[in-house]
Amino acid sequence: MPFPLRASLCLCLGVASLALVASEKPGVDPVNIDASVKPCEDFYAYANGGWLKGHTLPADKARYGAFEEVSERNRAILKQILEETSAKTTWAKGSVQQKVGDFYAAGMDEAAIDKRGLAPLQPLFAAIDGLNDTKQLPALLARLHTQGLPGGFGFYVGQDAKESTRYMGNLMQGGTGLPDRDYYLKDDARSRDIRAKYESHVARMLQLAGDSPALAAVRAKVILELETRMAAAQWTRVELRNPMKRYNKRTLDQVAAEAPGFDWKGYFQARGVEVKDLNLSQPSYFQAFGKLATETPATQWRTYLRWHALNSSANLLPKSFGEESFAFQGKVLNGTPEREPRAKRIEALTDAILGEALGQLYVKAAFPPESKKRVLDMVENLRVALRERITNLDWMGVATKQQAITKLNAFGVKIGYPDKWKTYAFDVKRDDAFGNVRRASAFRVQENLAKLGKAIDRSEWGMTPPTVNAYYSASMNEIVFPAGILQPPFFDPKADEAVNYGSLGFVIGHEMTHGFDDSGSQFDAQGNLKNWWTEADKQAYESRTDLVVKQYDAYEPIKGEHVNGRLTLGENIADIGGLKIAFSAYRNSLKGKPEPAAIDGFTGPQRFFLGAATVWRNHIREAALSLRLKTDPHSPGRERVNGPLSNLPEFYEAFGCADGQPMKRDAKVRPAIW
Ligand SMILES: [Zn+2]
């Protein structure tokens, strides 16, 4: 989709969904521990070494860990739902079951998709080929964007960051096919290699679509050159993390004056949107884009736009297109040797397109209502713990503390699934996989644009119910936990409190802390981008977050490739804070009584930290890790365990870590924030 999920700071990039049985022993299973490693040397390896040895990375995965384990269980449930639903053709037209069942059946009908060949794309190609003059570019981009297709930039409607009770349009940079601008601009061996392979991949796709090898090679070069110019104008991911810098409210006249060369009024007219004001998220990008729009000949725009129409439809076209797409996206970028079976790909697509329709069937099958109550209790206990911690902070003044507590008290909480399900007002046909996705994309765009001028919908969710993830939204000031993550090893009704506070408590604390990370802390209790800090407290905060940047910048998961401390700062603050809050909440849960007896030789605090480490255990391919170091605002699994724990006195105490050991960082460089 051209527009991102509503601004959200999520826990991890796991994609998936819920089942209720874990094969392991509830809580901490000693089998997963590697006793040959000392906990104060490398806690990640100690806590997870047994699990890592006992599990291999499946051939069709780039990463396999706790998120994927849970996701695979959820996906088995979805598979059953989809097979049962799609087997029946007598569902009432327009019902949830008809849409979900027919969408899946159409996607699974590979023979029909192969038979239609490129025919479904022809109307789009014809529209693109009609571009004879760059003056027609605004109307053409408007047409493509209206259908949910990419090109040049994106426009979507979201909450006005400084006035969270209203919606506003946002123009966002975009236009490139590689996952980060660095791949176009950097000269290291890996970037050069990926760039060359991308160019060959583009050429092969164009050949599959009918170009001669020579023409395809020329066109691939044109595409790479145009995308490189866009990449050069794009902001870095670190710059994009700054909400104040991203906020540039303009009238349409101002945009026209500031980014000449592209007819912005014509573009919005063609989209049928009346725009009074909008946020020009990256002004310098749009200035460069205006230049590109006039300087690039129409023939090059046609080549570029044909490529993106083709690329974004690859998985709905005959087999050879999907396979070529995987050869680059899966193998080159992520190092994954094999493609997932078709059933899994179509199941994931159904979740992406009809998530709250499929989610209704999933929740009925798999989400026990009593889990909701227990999780809600835990959230409230974490809220109490964070309130106490804020009250006792030694570096923050009373005025800022009051504001922070007001914000914390105002946090909204969503657990499991939406109170109000989204409706999908478009036709789903059993014999038209391509059309189903195109209609869905156009509907999603229309639904988004229709928000302009309306009251904020607070019932919306940014993730589907089977998703193994969670998020904090700064504009909504709410934390959200889909049903998909509320199961072992994140939450186990059969496990002891220590372990559940260490795992799900950590997750909850992480999302809460996002409200107070370097970005979230710039939003107030009403979700407005507005300073509520005294100058002195802001400075004290920043000197602490600088320590976090330094700590994570030093990690080098691949030789020569470091964690980017600025890119991952918000997530690292959330990990460090989340763990502290969860530990305080665990202590509170004892209500002054002594620790319960050790289980398998582990005390409560030890089990808390073992539970926390479990969350981030994973195997990952080196290519995927390298890709994430460039693009993912989260640190890798090992650093998400060892980073926060090595800052925490409660951890040293639990495992008897001494000065000088790697898991006990020196007090002078230790960031203590929340
Ligand atoms: Zn997060």
Side-chain angles (χ1 to χ4, degrees):
M1 293 300 111
F3 46 89
L5 272 179
R6 193 178 52 239
S8 60
L9 298 142
C10 63
L11 178 72
C12 170
L13 295 183
V15 177
S17 333
L18 175 116
L20 302 173
V21 271
S23 54
E24 294 179 356
K25 193 174 166 159
V28 173
D29 190 338
V31 166
N32 293 330
I33 292 173
D34 180 355
S36 73
V37 179
K38 291 192 172 63
C40 299
E41 294 290 322
D42 179 349
F43 193 72
Y44 176 84
Y46 166 76
N48 297 323
W51 185 91
L52 291 166
K53 279 189 200 118
H55 292 78
T56 50
L57 188 50
D60 60 0
K61 299 258 179 304
R63 187 180 73 175
Y64 189 77
F67 283 81
E68 290 76 16
E69 279 179 282
V70 176
S71 164
E72 288 299 305
R73 266 184 259 144
N74 295 357
R75 294 180 77 173
I77 296 174
L78 293 179
K79 182 169 190 261
Q80 199 182 344
I81 292 170
L82 288 165
E83 282 174 355
E84 284 172 15
T85 313
S86 63
K88 213 170 129 180
T89 53
T90 51
W91 300 112
K93 174 111 183 84
S95 64
V96 163
Q97 287 87 348
Q98 180 265 319
K99 285 191 165 145
V100 167
D102 285 352
F103 185 90
Y104 182 74
M108 288 304 289
D109 193 349
E110 209 173 353
I113 292 170
D114 282 349
K115 205 169 142 210
R116 292 181 73 187
L118 278 183
L121 256 184
Q122 292 313 326
L124 268 175
F125 278 174
I128 292 167
D129 289 343
L131 183 86
N132 296 314
D133 187 312
T134 51
K135 287 198 174 60
Q136 297 165 319
L137 188 62
L140 177 58
L141 284 184
R143 177 168 173 179
L144 296 172
H145 292 172
T146 298
Q147 293 180 61
L149 288 159
F153 61 89
F155 177 76
Y156 82 99
V157 175
Q159 276 168 282
D160 180 338
K162 289 194 177 174
E163 203 181 332
S164 67
T165 51
R166 77 183 279 264
Y167 287 116
M168 181 164 68
N170 293 271
L171 277 170
M172 312 268 294
Q173 71 178 29
T176 41
L178 283 168
D180 193 82
R181 70 194 291 278
D182 277 4
Y183 289 113
Y184 295 90
L185 307 172
K186 288 233 161 131
D187 226 26
D188 59 283
R190 198 190 286 268
S191 300
R192 277 205 313 268
D193 179 53
I194 286 179
R195 194 150 68 225
K197 285 179 173 151
Y198 178 59
E199 192 177 322
S200 321
H201 160 63
V202 173
R204 274 196 299 276
M205 288 283 277
L206 296 177
Q207 276 187 63
L208 287 173
D211 284 359
S212 71
L215 180 61
V218 170
R219 285 181 162 165
K221 219 167 254 326
V222 164
I223 290 161
L224 208 76
E225 276 168 22
L226 185 51
E227 289 189 5
T228 303
R229 292 184 67 185
M230 291 178 188
Q234 286 175 356
W235 290 14
T236 65
R237 285 175 189 269
V238 170
E239 288 169 317
L240 291 173
R241 286 198 65 247
N242 184 338
M244 218 41 123
K245 231 185 138 186
R246 271 196 330 253
Y247 190 85
N248 307 288
K249 195 167 156 179
R250 304 280 193 268
T251 63
L252 200 45
D253 282 331
Q254 285 171 328
V255 174
E258 197 169 338
F262 185 82
D263 178 7
W264 295 102
K265 287 182 187 169
Y267 169 80
F268 285 110
Q269 221 159 36
R271 290 206 64 176
V273 198
E274 205 186 318
V275 180
K276 288 191 192 72
D277 55 14
L278 58 79
N279 183 35
L280 192 61
S281 306
Q282 301 86 18
S284 56
Y285 176 80
F286 286 94
Q287 284 158 17
F289 183 81
K291 267 206 189 97
L292 269 186
T294 40
E295 286 171 7
T296 308
T299 159
Q300 293 189 9
W301 279 115
R302 290 201 299 270
T303 298
Y304 163 84
L305 292 170
R306 272 179 78 105
W307 152 245
H308 280 284
L310 183 65
N311 185 36
S312 57
S313 310
N315 290 317
L316 305 162
L317 295 172
K319 213 162 45 190
S320 52
F321 290 90
E323 281 170 358
E324 175 53 39
S325 182
F326 177 76
F328 183 72
Q329 304 287 345
K331 284 188 191 163
V332 173
L333 287 180
N334 284 290
T336 312
E338 275 176 31
R339 231 177 148 194
E340 282 195 325
R342 186 167 192 91
K344 283 199 146 178
R345 285 184 269 128
I346 302 303
E347 166 245 293
L349 185 65
T350 314
D351 179 55
I353 298 282
L354 290 167
E356 289 194 15
L358 180 58
Q360 291 176 47
L361 307 177
Y362 166 79
V363 162
K364 255 186 228 153
F367 188 60
E370 60 273 18
S371 288
K372 191 164 175 166
K373 168 83 177 79
R374 279 196 63 181
V375 174
L376 192 59
D377 285 348
M378 212 173 195
V379 169
E380 292 312 322
N381 294 344
L382 269 281
R383 200 194 305 249
V384 169
L386 178 52
R387 200 180 293 133
E388 288 167 359
R389 295 196 65 88
I390 292 172
T391 308
N392 296 325
L393 288 176
D394 58 6
W395 58 268
M396 188 187 266
V398 178
T400 311
K401 281 182 182 177
Q402 274 173 355
Q403 296 287 329
I405 288 171
T406 302
K407 175 165 182 172
L408 174 66
N409 291 345
F411 271 11
V413 184
K414 288 174 174 169
I415 294 170
Y417 54 90
D419 292 333
K420 189 182 92 190
W421 295 104
K422 198 187 261 300
T423 48
Y424 296 98
F426 56 88
D427 275 349
V428 176
K429 298 179 184 167
R430 206 173 169 85
D431 60 354
D432 186 11
F434 185 95
N436 288 340
V437 173
R438 288 273 61 86
R439 282 186 292 278
S441 301
F443 170 76
R444 188 180 290 205
V445 170
Q446 202 43 48
E447 190 190 37
N448 178 258
L449 288 190
K451 288 177 173 173
L452 271 181
K454 295 219 180 91
I456 298 293
D457 181 358
R458 296 200 165 266
S459 69
E460 267 191 329
W461 279 55
M463 284 179 183
T464 68
T467 305
V468 186
N469 213 332
Y471 68 91
Y472 169 76
S473 161
S475 291
M476 290 285 184
N477 193 26
E478 66 179 9
I479 46 177
V480 184
F481 306 93
I485 197 170
L486 304 176
Q487 54 170 316
F490 298 98
F491 171 68
D492 187 347
K494 295 197 291 292
D496 52 309
E497 290 280 77
V499 174
N500 277 329
Y501 273 98
S503 47
L504 187 65
F506 182 11
V507 170
I508 295 168
H510 172 101
E511 299 308 338
M512 284 186 168
T513 308
H514 271 314
F516 303 99
D517 71 17
D518 62 317
S519 170
S521 63
Q522 300 182 51
F523 291 80
D524 70 9
Q526 282 75 45
N528 292 313
L529 184 56
K530 190 176 160 190
N531 180 42
W532 46 269
W533 294 67
T534 64
E535 197 45 45
D537 289 338
K538 191 89 202 163
Q539 272 174 23
Y541 178 70
E542 280 168 7
S543 69
R544 279 164 175 75
T545 58
D546 284 347
L547 291 176
V548 180
V549 174
K550 279 204 192 87
Q551 180 187 351
Y552 285 80
D553 268 343
Y555 292 127
E556 191 179 0
I558 300 174
K559 205 173 166 1
E561 297 185 41
H562 285 252
V563 171
N564 180 337
R566 286 271 162 216
L567 175 63
T568 56
L569 178 57
E571 296 298 335
N572 298 333
I573 294 171
D575 281 345
I576 296 167
L579 203 63
K580 273 180 172 280
I581 300 159
F583 193 83
S584 297
Y586 164 62
R587 274 273 157 80
N588 287 349
S589 78
L590 299 173
K591 299 194 165 66
K593 286 190 222 107
E595 290 281 350
I599 305 174
D600 298 323
F602 295 112
T603 65
Q606 288 176 334
R607 295 173 64 78
F608 172 92
F609 292 113
L610 287 165
T614 299
V615 170
W616 305 116
R617 65 188 180 200
N618 69 59
H619 285 296
I620 186 163
R621 297 186 193 281
E622 190 183 285
L625 180 56
S626 172
L627 175 67
R628 282 172 183 267
L629 286 172
K630 275 200 165 63
T631 58
D632 190 347
H634 305 85
S635 297
R638 176 186 297 271
E639 287 69 28
R640 295 195 74 170
V641 174
N642 291 354
L645 292 190
S646 60
N647 289 320
L648 211 66
E650 294 86 341
F651 168 76
Y652 318 147
E653 195 185 309
F655 284 92
C657 301
D659 288 346
Q661 287 190 291
M663 289 300 302
K664 185 175 181 183
R665 300 183 75 241
D666 192 277
K668 286 195 289 296
V669 296
R670 221 153 55 202
I673 309 176
W674 299 108

